[in-house]
Amino acid sequence: MEGIHCLRRMTLQDAPRGGRMVRETPGETAKAGSTDPAAEGAPAKPPTIYDVARVAGVSHQTVSRLLRGYEGIRPQTKTRVMDALQELGYRPNLAARSLTTGRSQRIGALTHEIDQVGPSKIAQGASVAARQAGYLLDIVTLDMSNADAINDALELIMQHDLAGVLALASTDEMTQAFEAADFRVPAYIAAEEDDAFSNRRSELTSVGLPALIAHLAGLGHRTLLHIAGSTTYSAARNRRRAYEAAVADLSLHSQGVVYGDWSARSGYEAITGLRGKLEATAVVAANDQMALGAMLALTEQGYRIPEDISVAGIDDIPEAGYFSPPLTTLRVNFAAQGRNAVQQLLGQIEGFTPPSSTGLTSQLITRRSTGPAPGTAGHK
């Protein structure tokens, strides 16, 4: 179907890990005098959650909650359960569970730009959480340039018996389209809330970005420049506002905000397209890819990083530590966002109250792309 790509993430394996096949000649087992059914080739009984609970030293209810994606479990307990699951090779029996509960164990997930870091890691986190809870996650990527893409995708995935639909929205257009859609099954729309209309801000914008700006201020930088993402993304607007607020709180100066589209190319063009002299001694990009493009443009213009100008990004993509120089950035836990989205959907499907979302969390990762501002002590 034009504009739609369906990726089926199979989350179960047919064969046990580490297993091996042994062939025996007829009568060989009888000669050995074995009466063990397993030795006679009878299949071993698969482990249950009661077996997992016994090995982990917890209740079977605790195991069940963890498998459903519940995150309100103590880290030490979670570690014991996860070790027991791996030791026993536990795999949820979807067919048996469907017969018992009378509902499907499949979830349809709608997303777009699956090649981008954020959407990809969110989908991966959702897939892991669904598997741990005993569900299969079918991911459908949308071409948002096609006005009929969402309706076509819904028709495609609703041909299957689904327990629910997970709508992963990145843009305002996607959120509005999902809100108007008729899912006909339990559905959860996972979208980053716009801080301007929310009672609470995520840890990324309330703690992470202020920490990044404070890091630059501590290096003596007083004038900064921000490369923002597309304004149709609530994430871009939240990061821009958090940047502006942190700059104001620390009595710094911003040369302004230039806009990109999250790509390295747009970060490059944001720098080459600047009007007038670059006064900023530090550039803060809304994601690592735009930071990469900005670094190339600055280098081509004769700037040394970080001796002449510092550059920082957000996301901490796998390549960030291998930029030249390695990039200072905020590490964002996108996978947790995907896990939380599945947990919220499972609450609707299975009738339990999931814990409230903590929003995006982040960690400041300092590398060699940031250094003392020119003219300050410690500058080389």
Side-chain angles (χ1 to χ4, degrees):
M1 188 176 297
E2 184 177 356
I4 300 176
H5 310 281
C6 183
L7 306 176
R8 178 159 295 166
R9 303 284 179 92
M10 299 306 294
T11 57
L12 298 181
Q13 297 179 359
D14 294 329
R17 292 178 297 173
R20 61 189 181 94
M21 180 178 292
V22 178
R23 294 186 181 275
E24 297 177 333
T25 58
E28 183 177 345
T29 302
K31 291 178 182 178
S34 171
T35 58
D36 184 358
E40 295 176 359
K45 182 180 178 181
T48 68
I49 64 171
Y50 298 95
D51 298 321
V52 175
R54 175 178 52 79
V55 172
V58 300
S59 68
H60 72 275
Q61 293 93 336
T62 297
V63 177
S64 178
R65 284 196 295 270
L66 186 145
L67 291 173
R68 290 203 308 265
Y70 181 75
E71 294 192 350
I73 298 175
R74 289 184 299 177
Q76 300 91 331
T77 302
K78 182 177 180 179
T79 298
R80 294 207 309 271
V81 175
M82 295 301 292
D83 289 345
L85 289 169
Q86 183 173 4
E87 177 184 339
L88 296 175
Y90 176 83
R91 294 291 185 273
N93 188 327
L94 299 191
R97 188 172 179 184
S98 293
L99 289 173
T100 301
T101 62
R103 63 171 175 263
S104 169
Q105 299 302 127
R106 310 183 75 91
I107 294 174
L110 301 176
T111 186
H112 83 137
E113 295 185 340
I114 198 69
D115 58 327
Q116 296 296 316
V117 174
S120 173
K121 289 187 176 295
I122 291 171
Q124 288 174 14
S127 180
V128 171
R131 180 176 68 247
Q132 291 178 342
Y135 288 81
L136 294 174
L137 190 71
D138 288 337
I139 300 177
V140 178
T141 62
L142 308 176
D143 177 5
M144 294 309 295
S145 64
N146 179 356
D148 297 322
I150 291 180
N151 288 333
D152 290 345
L154 285 173
E155 290 183 9
L156 175 65
I157 64 173
M158 292 308 293
Q159 293 175 10
H160 303 280
D161 183 20
L162 296 178
V165 173
L166 188 63
L168 304 173
S170 301
T171 66
D172 298 337
E173 293 85 354
M174 287 186 71
T175 301
Q176 293 166 5
F178 287 148
E179 289 175 345
D182 179 17
F183 290 107
R184 304 192 298 278
V185 293
Y188 179 74
I189 301 174
E192 182 173 335
E193 293 185 76
D194 191 315
D195 287 348
F197 307 102
S198 175
N199 294 327
R200 61 177 184 176
R201 296 163 61 193
S202 71
E203 192 272 349
L204 170 62
T205 55
S206 63
V207 179
L209 261 160
L212 176 57
I213 302 304
H215 164 69
L216 294 171
L219 292 171
H221 296 279
R222 292 294 175 264
T223 302
L224 283 63
L225 174 72
H226 182 51
I227 304 177
S230 171
T231 57
T232 61
Y233 288 72
S234 58
R237 298 193 296 270
N238 289 342
R239 295 177 186 193
R240 187 202 73 227
R241 280 192 293 262
Y243 158 83
E244 293 171 337
V247 166
D249 288 344
L250 294 173
S251 300
L252 305 179
H253 172 69
S254 176
Q255 187 175 349
V257 176
V258 289
Y259 291 90
D261 61 10
W262 305 110
S263 69
R265 174 190 53 76
S266 70
Y268 178 90
E269 293 175 350
I271 296 299
T272 59
L274 280 175
R275 296 180 180 179
K277 181 182 177 181
L278 177 60
E279 300 175 354
T281 60
V283 174
V284 178
N287 76 339
D288 292 344
Q289 286 96 331
M290 291 193 296
L292 173 62
M295 290 169 72
L296 176 59
L298 291 167
T299 301
E300 289 181 349
Q301 292 179 11
Y303 291 94
R304 297 171 302 160
I305 302 171
E307 292 83 0
D308 301 324
I309 190 166
S310 291
V311 179
I314 299 174
D315 288 346
D316 193 30
I317 62 176
E319 299 82 7
Y322 301 92
F323 285 12
S324 182
L327 182 67
T328 290
T329 184
L330 286 173
R331 178 175 296 162
V332 180
N333 193 347
F334 290 111
Q337 189 176 8
R339 292 194 299 269
N340 175 72
V342 168
Q343 199 171 84
Q344 300 300 318
L345 177 60
L346 291 180
Q348 296 184 44
I349 295 171
E350 300 185 356
F352 66 89
T353 302
S356 59
S357 171
T358 57
L360 285 174
T361 59
S362 62
Q363 177 186 1
L364 176 62
I365 306 297
T366 56
R367 298 192 180 103
R368 298 200 303 271
S369 68
T370 54
T376 62
H379 179 262
K380 296 180 180 181

